[in-house]
Amino acid sequence: MNKEELEKVEQLIEQKNSEELKGLLSGLHPADIAELCNELDAEEARFIYLLLDNETAADVLIEMDEDARKDFLEILPSETIAKRFVDYMDSDDAVDIIREMDEDKQEEVLSHIEDIEQAGDIVDLLKYDEDTAGGLMGTEMVIVNENWSMPECLKEMRIQAEDMDEIYYVYVVDDDERLRGVFPLKKMITSPSVSKVKHVMKKDPISVHVDTPIDEVVQLIEKYDLVAVPVVDSIGRLVGRITVDDVMDEVREQAERDYQLASGLSQDVETDDSVFRQTTARLPWLLIGMIGGIGNSMILGNFDSTFAAHPEMALYIPLIGGTGGNVGTQSSALVVQGLANSSLDAHNTWKQIVKESVVAVINATIISMLVYIYNFIRFGATATVSYSVSVSLFAVVMFASIFGTLVPMTLEKLKIDPAIATGPFISITNDIIGMMLYMGITVLLS
C-alpha cells in the first residue's frame, strides 16, 4: 500500500469502520495484509485481525515480519493464539510461531490446543534444532502403505487430503512406518485396480535425516529440482516433510545473515530496529577497525626516517592498503560462495590455495608492472619508490589472495560461519600485514 492508502486504513481503524475496512481487506492476499500489519502498531493490527476469518488470519500471521509479529502476539492471550491461529496452521508454521515465545507462554499456548495429536506433533518438532531438517519439517503428508491395493489406496488418500491445503507427493511406507517409496499419481490412473502400491511406486526416494543441516537440505532440493523432501529418523521411519517454500525462506534468511556478516554487522538487524540494537550490531567491528588503524599508525610511526628520506612513499599507503583489502575480499568471497553451493570442499584447501596462487601471480604481475611504468615515468628508474612500491604490491596481492582463501576454509573446518571472512576481518588484517610488507620491503631496498 502507498502512503495515502495506509493513512486511509489507519483512519478507518480510528473510526472503527469495520464494514468498509473489511471490504478493503477482502480483495487482498494474506501476504499483502501482513505487509499492511507490519506498518501498523499492535493494537491497530489486532483490529484488522478481528475482521479476518480464522484461516486467513493464520496465513497473515505467518507472513508478518518477525519483530512485528512478536509485538502483536505479546498483547494476545495464549488461548486466542492457540484457537485463533495455531489450530489453523500447518505444524511447521505453528512451530515457527511458538518457538519465538518464552517457555511459559509456549506451555500456555500448547495447553489450549484442543487437537491433542496436533499439540503432540508441535511438542515433538520443538525438540529439534531449528537449523536442522527436523526443526524445519512439517508433519502434514499423504501416506499410503505399500501393501494396499489401488482402491484402498485411493480411499485413504481422499480421507487424508481433506485436511491438507497442498499435496506435493504421496509417500509410501511399510508396516513399520519406514519410508519405502513415492507413489506417482499418474500410476493411480493407469495401473490396474488389482495392483498393490509396492508394485507401482518409485523406490528409494531422496530423503534427509532429522539431523541434516538446513544448508544440505537446500542443496539437495536444488540439485534434484524437488518441491518437497521427506524426512526420516535414525531407523528410516517417515516423520515429516520439508517443502520448497520453507526452504526458500531459510535461503533468504541465510543470505541476509551472510551479507550482514560480510558487511561487518555482528548480529541480525533491520532498518526499523532501535538505535541501541543497530549500534550494538555495528560497534564491535568498528572498534576492531579502530584498533587496526591504531596498529597501522604504530607501524608507520617506526619508519619516520624512511619517510624523511623518501617522502613520496607516503603517497602509496592508500594504494597498498586498498589493494590488499580488495584482493582478500575477492578471494574469500569466491571461497565462501563455493562452500555454500558445495562446488568447493573444505578438505581441498591446498588445491584451492595453489589455484588461487596462480591467479594471484597473474594479477600481481599486471598490477605491479602498471604501477612501475607510472612511477618510472614520474620518478625515474633509479628512484626507490619506482621498484619498492611494485615489489610491495606483488607481495601484498600474493599474501591477500592466499590469506583470503585459507581463512574461510579454515573457519568451515572449525564449523564457524565462513561469511565472517568476507568482511572487515580480511580487510583489517590485510591492511596491517600490507603496511608491514610495504615498509619492510622499502627499508630492504633503500
Side-chain angles (χ1 to χ4, degrees):
M1 286 190 170
N2 56 38
K3 185 177 180 181
E4 290 75 18
E5 291 173 325
L6 179 61
E7 289 177 350
K8 180 180 179 181
V9 170
E10 291 175 333
Q11 185 178 6
L12 291 174
I13 294 174
E14 185 177 353
Q15 296 171 352
K16 301 199 181 300
N17 191 337
S18 301
E19 290 303 318
E20 187 173 350
L21 185 56
K22 192 172 183 178
L24 180 63
L25 297 174
S26 63
L28 296 179
H29 189 276
D32 295 322
I33 301 176
E35 189 174 340
L36 169 63
C37 291
N38 291 336
E39 300 296 327
L40 303 173
D41 61 39
E43 287 297 336
E44 291 173 330
R46 183 178 185 176
F47 186 85
I48 286 181
Y49 272 93
L50 293 174
L51 303 178
L52 304 174
D53 62 80
N54 291 334
E55 291 187 2
T56 302
D59 291 339
V60 171
L61 187 66
I62 295 167
E63 297 291 341
M64 284 182 69
D65 286 343
E66 187 175 326
D67 291 337
R69 182 170 62 209
K70 184 177 180 180
D71 292 339
F72 175 64
L73 291 176
E74 284 179 353
I75 68 171
L76 294 179
S78 299
E79 185 175 2
T80 300
I81 296 173
K83 296 182 178 180
R84 177 91 162 126
F85 300 111
V86 175
D87 280 349
Y88 297 89
M89 292 179 179
D90 288 342
S91 57
D92 53 337
D93 293 326
V95 168
D96 289 340
I97 299 297
I98 294 176
R99 203 188 292 273
E100 297 171 2
M101 307 173 186
D102 58 53
E103 291 187 8
D104 291 338
K105 186 120 182 183
Q106 286 182 10
E107 292 179 3
E108 290 178 8
V109 171
L110 290 170
S111 68
H112 289 293
I113 298 176
E114 295 181 354
D115 188 337
I116 300 301
E117 183 177 353
Q118 182 193 25
D121 288 341
I122 294 173
V123 170
D124 290 339
L125 293 176
L126 284 170
K127 296 176 182 177
Y128 295 110
D129 189 320
E130 60 182 322
D131 293 325
T132 65
L136 188 62
M137 71 181 182
T139 56
E140 291 76 19
M141 301 172 287
V142 175
I143 304 172
V144 297
N145 189 284
E146 63 179 351
N147 295 314
W148 288 350
S149 65
M150 287 299 168
E152 188 178 5
C153 177
L154 180 58
K155 178 182 177 182
E156 184 61 31
M157 286 170 58
R158 285 172 175 167
I159 295 173
Q160 294 182 38
E162 290 180 357
D163 298 326
M164 298 186 62
D165 295 327
E166 300 287 345
I167 299 176
Y168 297 96
Y169 297 108
V170 176
Y171 297 112
V172 182
V173 298
D174 61 15
D175 293 333
D176 296 318
E177 298 184 351
R178 290 175 296 186
L179 179 65
R180 289 304 185 198
V182 174
F183 180 63
L185 297 180
K186 180 181 177 181
K187 293 290 186 179
M188 183 176 63
I189 302 173
T190 59
S191 299
S193 60
V194 294
S195 300
K196 285 190 175 183
V197 171
K198 63 182 177 182
H199 296 145
V200 296
M201 70 180 183
K202 290 183 178 180
K203 298 180 180 180
D204 302 319
I206 296 167
S207 62
V208 295
H209 189 267
V210 287
D211 294 328
T212 302
I214 291 299
D215 55 351
E216 293 184 21
V217 177
V218 172
Q219 293 165 13
L220 199 66
I221 288 179
E222 180 183 14
K223 180 178 180 180
Y224 295 105
D225 295 326
L226 304 173
V227 294
V229 60
V231 184
V232 298
D233 63 13
S234 57
I235 58 175
R237 292 179 301 186
L238 179 63
V239 292
R241 56 91 187 106
I242 298 175
T243 57
V244 67
D245 58 320
D246 297 323
V247 166
M248 291 307 299
D249 290 338
E250 289 297 320
V251 170
R252 176 182 57 79
E253 291 176 7
Q254 182 62 49
E256 290 176 353
R257 286 195 295 269
D258 288 349
Y259 182 78
Q260 291 188 347
L261 281 174
S263 302
L265 296 174
S266 59
Q267 54 183 290
D268 187 19
V269 292
E270 303 288 345
T271 54
D272 57 353
D273 283 338
S274 67
V275 172
F276 176 76
R277 180 173 175 80
Q278 291 203 24
T279 301
T280 55
R282 299 182 186 188
L283 192 57
W285 276 113
L286 293 178
L287 292 175
I288 294 173
M290 179 197 71
I291 294 172
I294 293 174
N296 256 338
S297 66
M298 294 173 65
I299 293 171
L300 296 175
N302 293 323
F303 295 92
D304 291 341
S305 57
T306 303
F307 285 117
H310 308 285
E312 66 276 10
M313 301 299 296
L315 300 174
Y316 294 91
I317 291 175
L319 174 64
I320 298 294
T323 301
N326 289 337
V327 171
T329 300
Q330 287 179 347
S331 299
S332 59
L334 284 174
V335 172
V336 170
Q337 183 183 28
L339 292 171
N341 60 28
S342 295
S343 62
L344 181 63
D345 192 336
H347 296 293
N348 296 330
T349 300
W350 294 112
K351 181 180 178 181
Q352 182 62 25
I353 288 177
V354 170
K355 183 177 181 180
E356 188 64 30
S357 297
V358 174
V359 175
V361 167
I362 298 172
N363 289 334
T365 301
I366 294 173
I367 293 173
S368 299
M369 288 301 297
L370 291 174
V371 172
Y372 178 78
I373 293 171
Y374 170 78
N375 285 331
F376 177 84
I377 296 171
R378 182 175 181 183
F379 299 106
T382 58
T384 301
V385 69
S386 295
Y387 45 86
S388 65
V389 172
S390 294
V391 174
S392 298
L393 264 177
F394 188 94
V396 166
V397 171
M398 291 300 300
F399 170 80
S401 296
I402 295 173
F403 187 72
T405 302
L406 184 61
V407 169
M409 298 193 80
T410 302
L411 292 175
E412 177 73 8
K413 288 183 177 180
L414 297 175
K415 306 300 181 183
I416 300 173
D417 194 335
I420 298 172
T422 61
F425 175 73
I426 287 287
S427 298
I428 294 168
T429 304
N430 284 332
D431 200 21
I432 293 175
I433 301 298
M435 285 302 103
M436 294 175 65
L437 290 172
Y438 181 39
M439 300 316 301
I441 290 172
T442 299
V443 171
L444 291 174
L445 296 178
S446 297

